[in-house]
Amino acid sequence: NIGKAYFAKEQNEKGVEWCKQAIPYYERRLSLSQNKNEYELRMTGECYVRAEMYDETLSILKQIPSEQENSHSLHRKAEALRLIGKHKESLKEIDKAISLNQDDRYTATFFAEKSEILQAQGKISEAKEVLKSAIEELSHGKYRDALKKKLSLLTGEGKPNKN
């Protein structure tokens, strides 16, 4: 959706605004769905987390049957838990996501989330190591560059961007 595009361009306020506008559409789709599946619930949860509605995110993600949980839904759950300050639970969920991951394209994303959780817990040296692992998973691209920038900020080599 448009909100995700704004986040990709680091225009977070606009991203939040667009995601909040998209929520009624996600909710409507869920209300029309007779058999809610993991993907629909996860995408709705992602919209909620991007709209900074973390309790709602967790409420939606709890509707995913345990046999349908996968690394992606667990990642979203870990993210929401981190953002409401439940770091121990968040770490458990991201570790489960990493262990269930079957697609190397997402490994860096899961490691990056784990690094964010460790940072929130004040475990900066561990966070740096996990972030280095995330970067190693990527050979090139914008996401790799963004993670390298985060690492330089963590190591004190870079200065935060004020934009």
Side-chain angles (χ1 to χ4, degrees):
N1 74 35
I2 296 170
K4 287 171 80 170
Y6 277 116
F7 285 110
K9 292 183 166 227
E10 296 183 14
Q11 295 179 14
N12 294 349
E13 284 182 29
K14 286 184 178 181
V16 169
E17 179 184 323
W18 275 95
C19 286
K20 284 182 178 178
Q21 291 178 32
I23 286 171
Y25 299 100
Y26 281 95
E27 289 176 344
R28 177 78 173 137
R29 181 181 168 135
L30 282 179
S31 74
L32 295 172
S33 179
Q34 292 181 8
N35 297 315
K36 296 177 185 90
N37 64 43
E38 182 277 335
Y39 180 79
E40 290 175 317
L41 292 164
R42 177 170 37 94
M43 297 314 296
T44 303
E46 180 179 2
C47 187
Y48 274 123
V49 82
R50 299 280 176 247
E52 300 177 345
M53 300 171 71
Y54 311 121
D55 291 329
E56 292 85 347
T57 302
L58 293 170
S59 177
I60 287 289
L61 295 176
K62 284 180 183 173
Q63 295 177 43
I64 299 172
S66 58
E67 66 274 3
Q68 288 183 24
E69 268 189 338
N70 60 41
S71 56
H72 303 291
S73 57
L74 291 166
H75 168 235
R76 288 291 163 227
K77 192 174 183 184
E79 181 181 24
L81 288 165
R82 171 179 57 84
L83 291 166
I84 61 171
K86 294 187 175 185
H87 304 129
K88 270 188 172 177
E89 289 178 59
S90 180
L91 191 57
K92 274 192 222 175
E93 296 300 324
I94 201 63
D95 282 339
K96 279 196 270 183
I98 291 167
S99 72
L100 289 176
N101 183 32
Q102 297 180 349
D103 189 338
D104 291 341
R105 293 177 299 168
Y106 302 105
T107 303
T109 301
F110 301 151
F111 282 161
E113 180 61 37
K114 183 170 182 171
S115 176
E116 293 284 339
I117 297 163
L118 292 167
Q119 287 174 61
Q121 291 179 316
K123 298 176 180 178
I124 304 304
S125 60
E126 285 181 61
K128 284 190 248 184
E129 292 308 310
V130 173
L131 194 52
K132 285 177 188 175
S133 297
I135 293 165
E136 288 171 11
E137 291 291 325
L138 303 164
S139 59
H140 64 284
K142 291 179 188 177
Y143 187 52
R144 186 176 199 270
D145 294 342
L147 293 181
K148 285 176 80 174
K149 183 178 175 182
K150 280 185 180 185
L151 182 61
S152 73
L153 291 172
L154 267 180
T155 58
E157 296 169 12
K159 296 191 181 202
N161 186 355
K162 302 229 176 181
N163 292 339

